[in-house]
Amino acid sequence: MQFFRSEELKQELDDVDSLTEDLEAGAVEARGWPAEFSAYKVAKAAMNAYSRVLARRHPALRVNVVDPGYVRTNMTRNSGLLAPDEGGARVVAVAAWRCYRKAARPARSLAAARRRRPRSCDRRVASTSTRARRIQPCCSSSRRKIMEGAISVPANTRVAVVTGGNKGIGLEVCRQLAGNGVTVVLTARDEARGGAAVEKLGELGLSDVIFHQLEITDASSIGRLAEFLKTRFGRLDILVNKPSMSL
Ligand SMILES: NC(=O)c1ccc[n+]([C@@H]2O[C@H](COP(=O)([O-])OP(=O)(O)OC[C@H]3O[C@@H](n4cnc5c(N)ncnc54)[C@H](OP(=O)(O)O)[C@@H]3O)[C@@H](O)[C@H]2O)c1
C-alpha cells in the first residue's frame, strides 16, 4: 500500500477483511463502503501486489502492470475517453518493449532489412521513429513452415498469449501485436466468441493468430493452455493477462 497515492484507496484497502465479510453478507452499501468498485479496487490492488512479487521472484522475466487509461469498451459501457486502439497501444508498447530493444540495434539494420526483403524470412525490425515503438515485419509470414502438430516459428519471432482476447482492449492488443509480426495465441473462455475474433482479425489480413480456449479461473484450463504452448511453440515470449474487471 506504500505505493498507492490515493489516501481514500489506502483507507478502503486497509480493512479488506471487513470488506470481504461485508461483501459476503451482501452488506457493502449498508456498512458504508463505496457503492461502486470496491471489489474492483481490491482485485486491482491484489494484481499490483502479485505482479511485484512475481517480478522479484523471477528476475529473468519482465513483469509489468499497465494502466490502459479510461477506454471505451463493454466494461465502461463505451463511456471511456480513449478509443480501444489507444488503450491497446499503451499495453502493446510495454509488452513489445523487449522485441523493440532487440531489433532496434543497430539503427541502420532497418534500411538493410528493407533492401533484403523478401529474401530473409521472419526478421522483425523496429522503427525508432514512432512513439509506440512499432515492430514491422520485413517479409510475409506465409513463408513460415507450418508442420503437423507444431508450428515452427523462427527464434526471432515472438510468441504472445493474450487472455480475454475476444473483445475490448484484449482484441486490440491481439490486433496490434499480430500487425507487428508477433504470433498471437488469442484466448477466450467462449469458443464461439474467440473463433469469431480470430476470423475478424483474419479478415484484416492478420493470419498469425491462433485461438485457444481459456477460462482464467480454472486451473485445468490454464494447464491445457500451457501444454498447448509447450507442444506447439516450445516457448512463450509475451503474456498479456487482461480479462474482466475483477481479475
Ligand atoms: N476499459 C477501461 O477503461 C479499463 C481501464 C483500466 C483497466 N481496465 C482493465 O482492462 C481489462 C480489460 O477490460 P476491457 O475494458 O477490455 O473489458 P471487456 O471489453 O469487458 O473485456 C473483458 C474480457 O475478459 C474476458 N473474461 C472475463 N472473465 C473471464 C474469465 N473468467 N476467463 C477468461 N476470460 C474472461 C471477457 O470474455 P467474455 O466476452 O466471454 O465475457 C472479455 O474478453 C480489465 O481487467 C479491466 O479492469 C480497463
PDB file of all heavy atoms in Angstrom, residues 40 44 66-76 80 163-170 188-190 193 214-217 242-247, ligand 1:
ATOM      1  N   TYR A  40     -13.550  -4.206  -7.363  1.00  0.00           N
ATOM      2  CA  TYR A  40     -12.631  -3.863  -8.463  1.00  0.00           C
ATOM      3  C   TYR A  40     -11.304  -3.350  -7.903  1.00  0.00           C
ATOM      4  O   TYR A  40     -10.224  -3.782  -8.300  1.00  0.00           O
ATOM      5  CB  TYR A  40     -13.294  -2.786  -9.324  1.00  0.00           C
ATOM      6  CG  TYR A  40     -12.484  -2.325 -10.501  1.00  0.00           C
ATOM      7  CD1 TYR A  40     -12.468  -3.047 -11.689  1.00  0.00           C
ATOM      8  CD2 TYR A  40     -11.739  -1.145 -10.444  1.00  0.00           C
ATOM      9  CE1 TYR A  40     -11.737  -2.618 -12.776  1.00  0.00           C
ATOM     10  CE2 TYR A  40     -10.998  -0.715 -11.529  1.00  0.00           C
ATOM     11  CZ  TYR A  40     -11.005  -1.447 -12.689  1.00  0.00           C
ATOM     12  OH  TYR A  40     -10.269  -1.028 -13.766  1.00  0.00           O
ATOM     13  N   LYS A  44      -7.633  -5.116  -8.242  1.00  0.00           N
ATOM     14  CA  LYS A  44      -6.506  -4.456  -8.917  1.00  0.00           C
ATOM     15  C   LYS A  44      -5.322  -4.274  -7.962  1.00  0.00           C
ATOM     16  O   LYS A  44      -4.162  -4.391  -8.366  1.00  0.00           O
ATOM     17  CB  LYS A  44      -6.935  -3.093  -9.485  1.00  0.00           C
ATOM     18  CG  LYS A  44      -7.983  -3.194 -10.585  1.00  0.00           C
ATOM     19  CD  LYS A  44      -7.539  -4.094 -11.724  1.00  0.00           C
ATOM     20  CE  LYS A  44      -8.604  -4.229 -12.779  1.00  0.00           C
ATOM     21  NZ  LYS A  44      -8.378  -5.305 -13.734  1.00  0.00           N
ATOM     22  N   VAL A  66       0.068  -2.521 -16.448  1.00  0.00           N
ATOM     23  CA  VAL A  66      -0.142  -1.354 -17.314  1.00  0.00           C
ATOM     24  C   VAL A  66      -1.548  -0.806 -17.118  1.00  0.00           C
ATOM     25  O   VAL A  66      -2.526  -1.560 -17.145  1.00  0.00           O
ATOM     26  CB  VAL A  66       0.018  -1.741 -18.809  1.00  0.00           C
ATOM     27  CG1 VAL A  66      -0.088  -0.502 -19.684  1.00  0.00           C
ATOM     28  CG2 VAL A  66       1.331  -2.458 -19.044  1.00  0.00           C
ATOM     29  N   ASP A  67      -1.638   0.496 -16.929  1.00  0.00           N
ATOM     30  CA  ASP A  67      -2.944   1.155 -16.904  1.00  0.00           C
ATOM     31  C   ASP A  67      -3.249   1.617 -18.332  1.00  0.00           C
ATOM     32  O   ASP A  67      -2.547   2.473 -18.862  1.00  0.00           O
ATOM     33  CB  ASP A  67      -2.879   2.361 -15.950  1.00  0.00           C
ATOM     34  CG  ASP A  67      -4.167   3.171 -15.998  1.00  0.00           C
ATOM     35  OD1 ASP A  67      -5.143   2.734 -16.655  1.00  0.00           O
ATOM     36  OD2 ASP A  67      -4.195   4.250 -15.375  1.00  0.00           O
ATOM     37  N   PRO A  68      -4.287   1.043 -18.955  1.00  0.00           N
ATOM     38  CA  PRO A  68      -4.551   1.421 -20.351  1.00  0.00           C
ATOM     39  C   PRO A  68      -5.228   2.779 -20.485  1.00  0.00           C
ATOM     40  O   PRO A  68      -5.369   3.294 -21.590  1.00  0.00           O
ATOM     41  CB  PRO A  68      -5.502   0.314 -20.825  1.00  0.00           C
ATOM     42  CG  PRO A  68      -6.209  -0.125 -19.582  1.00  0.00           C
ATOM     43  CD  PRO A  68      -5.244   0.045 -18.450  1.00  0.00           C
ATOM     44  N   GLY A  69      -5.623   3.377 -19.347  1.00  0.00           N
ATOM     45  CA  GLY A  69      -6.420   4.608 -19.410  1.00  0.00           C
ATOM     46  C   GLY A  69      -7.895   4.242 -19.380  1.00  0.00           C
ATOM     47  O   GLY A  69      -8.260   3.081 -19.201  1.00  0.00           O
ATOM     48  N   TYR A  70      -8.727   5.258 -19.538  1.00  0.00           N
ATOM     49  CA  TYR A  70     -10.179   5.053 -19.464  1.00  0.00           C
ATOM     50  C   TYR A  70     -10.672   4.823 -20.896  1.00  0.00           C
ATOM     51  O   TYR A  70     -10.739   5.751 -21.698  1.00  0.00           O
ATOM     52  CB  TYR A  70     -10.793   6.297 -18.822  1.00  0.00           C
ATOM     53  CG  TYR A  70     -12.271   6.223 -18.563  1.00  0.00           C
ATOM     54  CD1 TYR A  70     -12.906   5.028 -18.247  1.00  0.00           C
ATOM     55  CD2 TYR A  70     -13.044   7.384 -18.609  1.00  0.00           C
ATOM     56  CE1 TYR A  70     -14.264   4.983 -18.000  1.00  0.00           C
ATOM     57  CE2 TYR A  70     -14.409   7.351 -18.358  1.00  0.00           C
ATOM     58  CZ  TYR A  70     -15.008   6.145 -18.056  1.00  0.00           C
ATOM     59  OH  TYR A  70     -16.353   6.105 -17.819  1.00  0.00           O
ATOM     60  N   VAL A  71     -10.971   3.556 -21.194  1.00  0.00           N
ATOM     61  CA  VAL A  71     -11.150   3.150 -22.590  1.00  0.00           C
ATOM     62  C   VAL A  71     -12.614   2.775 -22.882  1.00  0.00           C
ATOM     63  O   VAL A  71     -13.282   2.155 -22.044  1.00  0.00           O
ATOM     64  CB  VAL A  71     -10.241   1.932 -22.903  1.00  0.00           C
ATOM     65  CG1 VAL A  71     -10.334   1.554 -24.371  1.00  0.00           C
ATOM     66  CG2 VAL A  71      -8.789   2.237 -22.528  1.00  0.00           C
ATOM     67  N   ARG A  72     -13.065   3.120 -24.073  1.00  0.00           N
ATOM     68  CA  ARG A  72     -14.445   2.797 -24.474  1.00  0.00           C
ATOM     69  C   ARG A  72     -14.561   1.306 -24.825  1.00  0.00           C
ATOM     70  O   ARG A  72     -14.177   0.884 -25.918  1.00  0.00           O
ATOM     71  CB  ARG A  72     -14.854   3.637 -25.695  1.00  0.00           C
ATOM     72  CG  ARG A  72     -15.037   5.100 -25.382  1.00  0.00           C
ATOM     73  CD  ARG A  72     -15.653   5.846 -26.536  1.00  0.00           C
ATOM     74  NE  ARG A  72     -14.730   6.051 -27.646  1.00  0.00           N
ATOM     75  CZ  ARG A  72     -13.809   7.010 -27.695  1.00  0.00           C
ATOM     76  NH1 ARG A  72     -13.669   7.860 -26.697  1.00  0.00           N
ATOM     77  NH2 ARG A  72     -13.026   7.128 -28.757  1.00  0.00           N
ATOM     78  N   THR A  73     -15.054   0.531 -23.855  1.00  0.00           N
ATOM     79  CA  THR A  73     -15.274  -0.909 -24.078  1.00  0.00           C
ATOM     80  C   THR A  73     -16.601  -1.275 -23.417  1.00  0.00           C
ATOM     81  O   THR A  73     -17.251  -0.428 -22.791  1.00  0.00           O
ATOM     82  CB  THR A  73     -14.149  -1.746 -23.430  1.00  0.00           C
ATOM     83  OG1 THR A  73     -14.205  -1.539 -22.015  1.00  0.00           O
ATOM     84  CG2 THR A  73     -12.779  -1.396 -23.955  1.00  0.00           C
ATOM     85  N   ASN A  74     -16.963  -2.544 -23.494  1.00  0.00           N
ATOM     86  CA  ASN A  74     -18.191  -3.007 -22.809  1.00  0.00           C
ATOM     87  C   ASN A  74     -18.138  -2.694 -21.325  1.00  0.00           C
ATOM     88  O   ASN A  74     -19.123  -2.329 -20.715  1.00  0.00           O
ATOM     89  CB  ASN A  74     -18.331  -4.526 -22.968  1.00  0.00           C
ATOM     90  CG  ASN A  74     -18.925  -4.883 -24.299  1.00  0.00           C
ATOM     91  OD1 ASN A  74     -18.935  -4.049 -25.215  1.00  0.00           O
ATOM     92  ND2 ASN A  74     -19.410  -6.094 -24.431  1.00  0.00           N
ATOM     93  N   MET A  75     -16.924  -2.882 -20.748  1.00  0.00           N
ATOM     94  CA  MET A  75     -16.783  -2.693 -19.311  1.00  0.00           C
ATOM     95  C   MET A  75     -17.155  -1.285 -18.867  1.00  0.00           C
ATOM     96  O   MET A  75     -17.753  -1.094 -17.811  1.00  0.00           O
ATOM     97  CB  MET A  75     -15.332  -2.995 -18.901  1.00  0.00           C
ATOM     98  CG  MET A  75     -15.139  -3.168 -17.423  1.00  0.00           C
ATOM     99  SD  MET A  75     -13.397  -3.135 -16.991  1.00  0.00           S
ATOM    100  CE  MET A  75     -13.198  -1.405 -16.586  1.00  0.00           C
ATOM    101  N   THR A  76     -16.816  -0.294 -19.675  1.00  0.00           N
ATOM    102  CA  THR A  76     -17.122   1.103 -19.317  1.00  0.00           C
ATOM    103  C   THR A  76     -18.408   1.572 -20.009  1.00  0.00           C
ATOM    104  O   THR A  76     -18.676   2.763 -20.071  1.00  0.00           O
ATOM    105  CB  THR A  76     -15.961   2.042 -19.721  1.00  0.00           C
ATOM    106  OG1 THR A  76     -15.748   1.905 -21.138  1.00  0.00           O
ATOM    107  CG2 THR A  76     -14.689   1.718 -18.989  1.00  0.00           C
ATOM    108  N   GLY A  80     -15.647   5.541 -22.130  1.00  0.00           N
ATOM    109  CA  GLY A  80     -14.260   5.955 -21.862  1.00  0.00           C
ATOM    110  C   GLY A  80     -13.807   7.154 -22.682  1.00  0.00           C
ATOM    111  O   GLY A  80     -14.476   7.589 -23.615  1.00  0.00           O
ATOM    112  N   THR A 163      -4.982 -13.010 -22.902  1.00  0.00           N
ATOM    113  CA  THR A 163      -6.194 -13.563 -22.287  1.00  0.00           C
ATOM    114  C   THR A 163      -7.326 -12.560 -22.462  1.00  0.00           C
ATOM    115  O   THR A 163      -7.096 -11.352 -22.558  1.00  0.00           O
ATOM    116  CB  THR A 163      -5.969 -13.866 -20.786  1.00  0.00           C
ATOM    117  OG1 THR A 163      -5.756 -12.636 -20.101  1.00  0.00           O
ATOM    118  CG2 THR A 163      -4.786 -14.783 -20.579  1.00  0.00           C
ATOM    119  N   GLY A 164      -8.554 -13.075 -22.508  1.00  0.00           N
ATOM    120  CA  GLY A 164      -9.697 -12.193 -22.759  1.00  0.00           C
ATOM    121  C   GLY A 164      -9.532 -11.476 -24.081  1.00  0.00           C
ATOM    122  O   GLY A 164      -9.814 -10.283 -24.200  1.00  0.00           O
ATOM    123  N   GLY A 165      -9.090 -12.219 -25.094  1.00  0.00           N
ATOM    124  CA  GLY A 165      -8.718 -11.585 -26.365  1.00  0.00           C
ATOM    125  C   GLY A 165      -9.869 -11.392 -27.332  1.00  0.00           C
ATOM    126  O   GLY A 165      -9.668 -10.883 -28.430  1.00  0.00           O
ATOM    127  N   ASN A 166     -11.066 -11.817 -26.945  1.00  0.00           N
ATOM    128  CA  ASN A 166     -12.161 -11.767 -27.924  1.00  0.00           C
ATOM    129  C   ASN A 166     -12.804 -10.401 -28.077  1.00  0.00           C
ATOM    130  O   ASN A 166     -13.533 -10.165 -29.039  1.00  0.00           O
ATOM    131  CB  ASN A 166     -13.230 -12.830 -27.600  1.00  0.00           C
ATOM    132  CG  ASN A 166     -13.844 -12.641 -26.235  1.00  0.00           C
ATOM    133  OD1 ASN A 166     -13.155 -12.808 -25.234  1.00  0.00           O
ATOM    134  ND2 ASN A 166     -15.104 -12.289 -26.167  1.00  0.00           N
ATOM    135  N   LYS A 167     -12.559  -9.505 -27.137  1.00  0.00           N
ATOM    136  CA  LYS A 167     -13.148  -8.175 -27.306  1.00  0.00           C
ATOM    137  C   LYS A 167     -12.367  -7.123 -26.498  1.00  0.00           C
ATOM    138  O   LYS A 167     -11.412  -7.448 -25.806  1.00  0.00           O
ATOM    139  CB  LYS A 167     -14.621  -8.178 -26.892  1.00  0.00           C
ATOM    140  CG  LYS A 167     -14.868  -8.366 -25.414  1.00  0.00           C
ATOM    141  CD  LYS A 167     -16.368  -8.344 -25.132  1.00  0.00           C
ATOM    142  CE  LYS A 167     -16.638  -8.503 -23.657  1.00  0.00           C
ATOM    143  NZ  LYS A 167     -17.968  -8.924 -23.334  1.00  0.00           N
ATOM    144  N   GLY A 168     -12.835  -5.878 -26.614  1.00  0.00           N
ATOM    145  CA  GLY A 168     -12.273  -4.796 -25.806  1.00  0.00           C
ATOM    146  C   GLY A 168     -10.778  -4.597 -26.037  1.00  0.00           C
ATOM    147  O   GLY A 168     -10.260  -4.751 -27.143  1.00  0.00           O
ATOM    148  N   ILE A 169     -10.112  -4.275 -24.948  1.00  0.00           N
ATOM    149  CA  ILE A 169      -8.681  -3.971 -25.035  1.00  0.00           C
ATOM    150  C   ILE A 169      -7.896  -5.213 -25.483  1.00  0.00           C
ATOM    151  O   ILE A 169      -6.937  -5.110 -26.254  1.00  0.00           O
ATOM    152  CB  ILE A 169      -8.161  -3.460 -23.671  1.00  0.00           C
ATOM    153  CG1 ILE A 169      -8.902  -2.178 -23.286  1.00  0.00           C
ATOM    154  CG2 ILE A 169      -6.663  -3.196 -23.722  1.00  0.00           C
ATOM    155  CD1 ILE A 169      -8.677  -1.750 -21.847  1.00  0.00           C
ATOM    156  N   GLY A 170      -8.338  -6.386 -25.041  1.00  0.00           N
ATOM    157  CA  GLY A 170      -7.641  -7.631 -25.404  1.00  0.00           C
ATOM    158  C   GLY A 170      -7.611  -7.855 -26.903  1.00  0.00           C
ATOM    159  O   GLY A 170      -6.571  -8.207 -27.473  1.00  0.00           O
ATOM    160  N   ALA A 188      -9.934 -17.031 -25.177  1.00  0.00           N
ATOM    161  CA  ALA A 188     -11.218 -16.543 -24.677  1.00  0.00           C
ATOM    162  C   ALA A 188     -11.891 -17.715 -23.983  1.00  0.00           C
ATOM    163  O   ALA A 188     -11.598 -18.872 -24.297  1.00  0.00           O
ATOM    164  CB  ALA A 188     -12.072 -16.043 -25.833  1.00  0.00           C
ATOM    165  N   ARG A 189     -12.778 -17.421 -23.057  1.00  0.00           N
ATOM    166  CA  ARG A 189     -13.438 -18.550 -22.373  1.00  0.00           C
ATOM    167  C   ARG A 189     -14.499 -19.182 -23.247  1.00  0.00           C
ATOM    168  O   ARG A 189     -14.839 -20.347 -23.082  1.00  0.00           O
ATOM    169  CB  ARG A 189     -14.022 -18.091 -21.041  1.00  0.00           C
ATOM    170  CG  ARG A 189     -15.007 -16.950 -21.149  1.00  0.00           C
ATOM    171  CD  ARG A 189     -15.486 -16.561 -19.789  1.00  0.00           C
ATOM    172  NE  ARG A 189     -16.144 -15.256 -19.815  1.00  0.00           N
ATOM    173  CZ  ARG A 189     -16.702 -14.711 -18.769  1.00  0.00           C
ATOM    174  NH1 ARG A 189     -16.664 -15.344 -17.615  1.00  0.00           N
ATOM    175  NH2 ARG A 189     -17.276 -13.527 -18.849  1.00  0.00           N
ATOM    176  N   ASP A 190     -15.050 -18.400 -24.183  1.00  0.00           N
ATOM    177  CA  ASP A 190     -16.099 -18.914 -25.052  1.00  0.00           C
ATOM    178  C   ASP A 190     -15.529 -19.177 -26.449  1.00  0.00           C
ATOM    179  O   ASP A 190     -15.018 -18.259 -27.099  1.00  0.00           O
ATOM    180  CB  ASP A 190     -17.227 -17.872 -25.127  1.00  0.00           C
ATOM    181  CG  ASP A 190     -18.383 -18.364 -25.972  1.00  0.00           C
ATOM    182  OD1 ASP A 190     -18.298 -18.232 -27.217  1.00  0.00           O
ATOM    183  OD2 ASP A 190     -19.344 -18.892 -25.393  1.00  0.00           O
ATOM    184  N   ARG A 193     -17.036 -17.091 -29.394  1.00  0.00           N
ATOM    185  CA  ARG A 193     -16.609 -15.680 -29.388  1.00  0.00           C
ATOM    186  C   ARG A 193     -15.128 -15.551 -29.760  1.00  0.00           C
ATOM    187  O   ARG A 193     -14.729 -14.653 -30.492  1.00  0.00           O
ATOM    188  CB  ARG A 193     -16.870 -15.042 -28.022  1.00  0.00           C
ATOM    189  CG  ARG A 193     -18.345 -14.747 -27.784  1.00  0.00           C
ATOM    190  CD  ARG A 193     -18.516 -13.763 -26.637  1.00  0.00           C
ATOM    191  NE  ARG A 193     -18.275 -14.374 -25.342  1.00  0.00           N
ATOM    192  CZ  ARG A 193     -19.222 -14.845 -24.541  1.00  0.00           C
ATOM    193  NH1 ARG A 193     -20.480 -14.776 -24.902  1.00  0.00           N
ATOM    194  NH2 ARG A 193     -18.927 -15.373 -23.373  1.00  0.00           N
ATOM    195  N   LEU A 214      -9.629 -20.558 -23.002  1.00  0.00           N
ATOM    196  CA  LEU A 214      -9.059 -20.393 -21.664  1.00  0.00           C
ATOM    197  C   LEU A 214     -10.083 -19.758 -20.724  1.00  0.00           C
ATOM    198  O   LEU A 214     -10.559 -18.646 -20.956  1.00  0.00           O
ATOM    199  CB  LEU A 214      -7.802 -19.500 -21.708  1.00  0.00           C
ATOM    200  CG  LEU A 214      -7.190 -19.179 -20.332  1.00  0.00           C
ATOM    201  CD1 LEU A 214      -6.576 -20.416 -19.694  1.00  0.00           C
ATOM    202  CD2 LEU A 214      -6.153 -18.074 -20.427  1.00  0.00           C
ATOM    203  N   GLU A 215     -10.396 -20.488 -19.677  1.00  0.00           N
ATOM    204  CA  GLU A 215     -11.182 -19.915 -18.570  1.00  0.00           C
ATOM    205  C   GLU A 215     -10.158 -19.618 -17.482  1.00  0.00           C
ATOM    206  O   GLU A 215      -9.583 -20.528 -16.882  1.00  0.00           O
ATOM    207  CB  GLU A 215     -12.248 -20.931 -18.117  1.00  0.00           C
ATOM    208  CG  GLU A 215     -12.869 -20.639 -16.764  1.00  0.00           C
ATOM    209  CD  GLU A 215     -13.487 -19.262 -16.634  1.00  0.00           C
ATOM    210  OE1 GLU A 215     -14.451 -18.972 -17.334  1.00  0.00           O
ATOM    211  OE2 GLU A 215     -12.985 -18.462 -15.816  1.00  0.00           O
ATOM    212  N   ILE A 216      -9.958 -18.348 -17.227  1.00  0.00           N
ATOM    213  CA  ILE A 216      -8.831 -17.926 -16.401  1.00  0.00           C
ATOM    214  C   ILE A 216      -8.954 -18.369 -14.932  1.00  0.00           C
ATOM    215  O   ILE A 216      -7.966 -18.470 -14.218  1.00  0.00           O
ATOM    216  CB  ILE A 216      -8.664 -16.386 -16.529  1.00  0.00           C
ATOM    217  CG1 ILE A 216      -7.252 -15.948 -16.173  1.00  0.00           C
ATOM    218  CG2 ILE A 216      -9.648 -15.619 -15.706  1.00  0.00           C
ATOM    219  CD1 ILE A 216      -6.295 -16.104 -17.275  1.00  0.00           C
ATOM    220  N   THR A 217     -10.173 -18.667 -14.494  1.00  0.00           N
ATOM    221  CA  THR A 217     -10.347 -19.068 -13.089  1.00  0.00           C
ATOM    222  C   THR A 217     -10.260 -20.589 -12.906  1.00  0.00           C
ATOM    223  O   THR A 217     -10.466 -21.082 -11.801  1.00  0.00           O
ATOM    224  CB  THR A 217     -11.717 -18.588 -12.546  1.00  0.00           C
ATOM    225  OG1 THR A 217     -12.743 -19.163 -13.369  1.00  0.00           O
ATOM    226  CG2 THR A 217     -11.832 -17.073 -12.581  1.00  0.00           C
ATOM    227  N   LYS A 242      -5.372  -9.912 -19.253  1.00  0.00           N
ATOM    228  CA  LYS A 242      -6.244  -8.764 -19.034  1.00  0.00           C
ATOM    229  C   LYS A 242      -7.761  -9.040 -18.994  1.00  0.00           C
ATOM    230  O   LYS A 242      -8.552  -8.190 -19.326  1.00  0.00           O
ATOM    231  CB  LYS A 242      -5.977  -7.676 -20.090  1.00  0.00           C
ATOM    232  CG  LYS A 242      -6.006  -8.160 -21.489  1.00  0.00           C
ATOM    233  CD  LYS A 242      -6.993  -7.573 -22.476  1.00  0.00           C
ATOM    234  CE  LYS A 242      -8.326  -7.167 -22.090  1.00  0.00           C
ATOM    235  NZ  LYS A 242      -9.314  -8.263 -22.056  1.00  0.00           N
ATOM    236  N   PRO A 243      -8.163 -10.219 -18.600  1.00  0.00           N
ATOM    237  CA  PRO A 243      -9.601 -10.412 -18.652  1.00  0.00           C
ATOM    238  C   PRO A 243     -10.336  -9.799 -17.470  1.00  0.00           C
ATOM    239  O   PRO A 243      -9.821  -9.765 -16.366  1.00  0.00           O
ATOM    240  CB  PRO A 243      -9.747 -11.927 -18.623  1.00  0.00           C
ATOM    241  CG  PRO A 243      -8.621 -12.380 -17.801  1.00  0.00           C
ATOM    242  CD  PRO A 243      -7.504 -11.397 -18.027  1.00  0.00           C
ATOM    243  N   SER A 244     -11.507  -9.323 -17.733  1.00  0.00           N
ATOM    244  CA  SER A 244     -12.507  -8.978 -16.727  1.00  0.00           C
ATOM    245  C   SER A 244     -12.057  -7.923 -15.715  1.00  0.00           C
ATOM    246  O   SER A 244     -10.925  -7.866 -15.288  1.00  0.00           O
ATOM    247  CB  SER A 244     -12.890 -10.232 -15.962  1.00  0.00           C
ATOM    248  OG  SER A 244     -13.872  -9.921 -15.030  1.00  0.00           O
ATOM    249  N   MET A 245     -13.002  -7.106 -15.293  1.00  0.00           N
ATOM    250  CA  MET A 245     -12.668  -6.003 -14.401  1.00  0.00           C
ATOM    251  C   MET A 245     -12.218  -6.465 -13.017  1.00  0.00           C
ATOM    252  O   MET A 245     -11.467  -5.801 -12.337  1.00  0.00           O
ATOM    253  CB  MET A 245     -13.839  -5.030 -14.266  1.00  0.00           C
ATOM    254  CG  MET A 245     -15.090  -5.619 -13.668  1.00  0.00           C
ATOM    255  SD  MET A 245     -16.483  -4.503 -13.872  1.00  0.00           S
ATOM    256  CE  MET A 245     -16.094  -3.222 -12.719  1.00  0.00           C
ATOM    257  N   SER A 246     -12.672  -7.636 -12.570  1.00  0.00           N
ATOM    258  CA  SER A 246     -12.329  -8.037 -11.207  1.00  0.00           C
ATOM    259  C   SER A 246     -11.271  -9.142 -11.163  1.00  0.00           C
ATOM    260  O   SER A 246     -11.118  -9.821 -10.160  1.00  0.00           O
ATOM    261  CB  SER A 246     -13.592  -8.485 -10.472  1.00  0.00           C
ATOM    262  OG  SER A 246     -14.253  -9.467 -11.215  1.00  0.00           O
ATOM    263  N   LEU A 247     -10.554  -9.312 -12.301  1.00  0.00           N
ATOM    264  CA  LEU A 247      -9.485 -10.325 -12.289  1.00  0.00           C
ATOM    265  C   LEU A 247      -8.135  -9.663 -12.493  1.00  0.00           C
ATOM    266  O   LEU A 247      -8.034  -8.623 -13.066  1.00  0.00           O
ATOM    267  CB  LEU A 247      -9.715 -11.337 -13.412  1.00  0.00           C
ATOM    268  CG  LEU A 247     -10.928 -12.252 -13.235  1.00  0.00           C
ATOM    269  CD1 LEU A 247     -11.157 -13.057 -14.487  1.00  0.00           C
ATOM    270  CD2 LEU A 247     -10.746 -13.183 -12.055  1.00  0.00           C
TER     271      LEU A 247
HETATM  272  N1  LIG B   1     -11.790  -0.190 -20.184  1.00  0.00           N
HETATM  273  C1  LIG B   1     -11.115   0.569 -19.320  1.00  0.00           C
HETATM  274  O1  LIG B   1     -11.283   1.804 -19.268  1.00  0.00           O
HETATM  275  C2  LIG B   1     -10.101  -0.052 -18.403  1.00  0.00           C
HETATM  276  C3  LIG B   1      -9.334   0.795 -17.587  1.00  0.00           C
HETATM  277  C4  LIG B   1      -8.386   0.231 -16.713  1.00  0.00           C
HETATM  278  C5  LIG B   1      -8.234  -1.151 -16.665  1.00  0.00           C
HETATM  279  N2  LIG B   1      -9.013  -1.945 -17.471  1.00  0.00           N
HETATM  280  C6  LIG B   1      -8.830  -3.392 -17.341  1.00  0.00           C
HETATM  281  O2  LIG B   1      -8.577  -3.977 -18.618  1.00  0.00           O
HETATM  282  C7  LIG B   1      -9.121  -5.308 -18.636  1.00  0.00           C
HETATM  283  C8  LIG B   1      -9.991  -5.474 -19.880  1.00  0.00           C
HETATM  284  O3  LIG B   1     -11.014  -4.523 -19.854  1.00  0.00           O
HETATM  285  P1  LIG B   1     -11.947  -4.241 -21.119  1.00  0.00           P
HETATM  286  O4  LIG B   1     -12.415  -2.855 -20.943  1.00  0.00           O
HETATM  287  O5  LIG B   1     -11.277  -4.658 -22.376  1.00  0.00           O
HETATM  288  O6  LIG B   1     -13.169  -5.234 -20.784  1.00  0.00           O
HETATM  289  P2  LIG B   1     -14.195  -6.020 -21.726  1.00  0.00           P
HETATM  290  O7  LIG B   1     -14.342  -5.377 -23.063  1.00  0.00           O
HETATM  291  O8  LIG B   1     -15.392  -6.235 -20.882  1.00  0.00           O
HETATM  292  O9  LIG B   1     -13.441  -7.435 -21.962  1.00  0.00           O
HETATM  293  C9  LIG B   1     -13.239  -8.333 -20.904  1.00  0.00           C
HETATM  294  C10 LIG B   1     -12.686  -9.630 -21.476  1.00  0.00           C
HETATM  295  O10 LIG B   1     -12.370 -10.517 -20.404  1.00  0.00           O
HETATM  296  C11 LIG B   1     -12.956 -11.796 -20.682  1.00  0.00           C
HETATM  297  N3  LIG B   1     -13.209 -12.529 -19.449  1.00  0.00           N
HETATM  298  C12 LIG B   1     -13.995 -12.186 -18.415  1.00  0.00           C
HETATM  299  N4  LIG B   1     -13.973 -13.129 -17.472  1.00  0.00           N
HETATM  300  C13 LIG B   1     -13.147 -14.114 -17.923  1.00  0.00           C
HETATM  301  C14 LIG B   1     -12.706 -15.365 -17.417  1.00  0.00           C
HETATM  302  N5  LIG B   1     -13.139 -15.800 -16.237  1.00  0.00           N
HETATM  303  N6  LIG B   1     -11.858 -16.127 -18.152  1.00  0.00           N
HETATM  304  C15 LIG B   1     -11.421 -15.690 -19.349  1.00  0.00           C
HETATM  305  N7  LIG B   1     -11.794 -14.506 -19.902  1.00  0.00           N
HETATM  306  C16 LIG B   1     -12.656 -13.740 -19.192  1.00  0.00           C
HETATM  307  C17 LIG B   1     -14.224 -11.432 -21.435  1.00  0.00           C
HETATM  308  O11 LIG B   1     -14.746 -12.566 -22.101  1.00  0.00           O
HETATM  309  P3  LIG B   1     -16.336 -12.706 -22.429  1.00  0.00           P
HETATM  310  O12 LIG B   1     -16.572 -11.957 -23.711  1.00  0.00           O
HETATM  311  O13 LIG B   1     -16.518 -14.176 -22.548  1.00  0.00           O
HETATM  312  O14 LIG B   1     -17.077 -12.097 -21.281  1.00  0.00           O
HETATM  313  C18 LIG B   1     -13.685 -10.353 -22.380  1.00  0.00           C
HETATM  314  O15 LIG B   1     -12.987 -10.927 -23.438  1.00  0.00           O
HETATM  315  C19 LIG B   1      -9.870  -5.484 -17.310  1.00  0.00           C
HETATM  316  O16 LIG B   1      -9.028  -6.167 -16.415  1.00  0.00           O
HETATM  317  C20 LIG B   1     -10.097  -4.058 -16.845  1.00  0.00           C
HETATM  318  O17 LIG B   1     -10.233  -3.951 -15.444  1.00  0.00           O
HETATM  319  C21 LIG B   1      -9.921  -1.431 -18.339  1.00  0.00           C
END
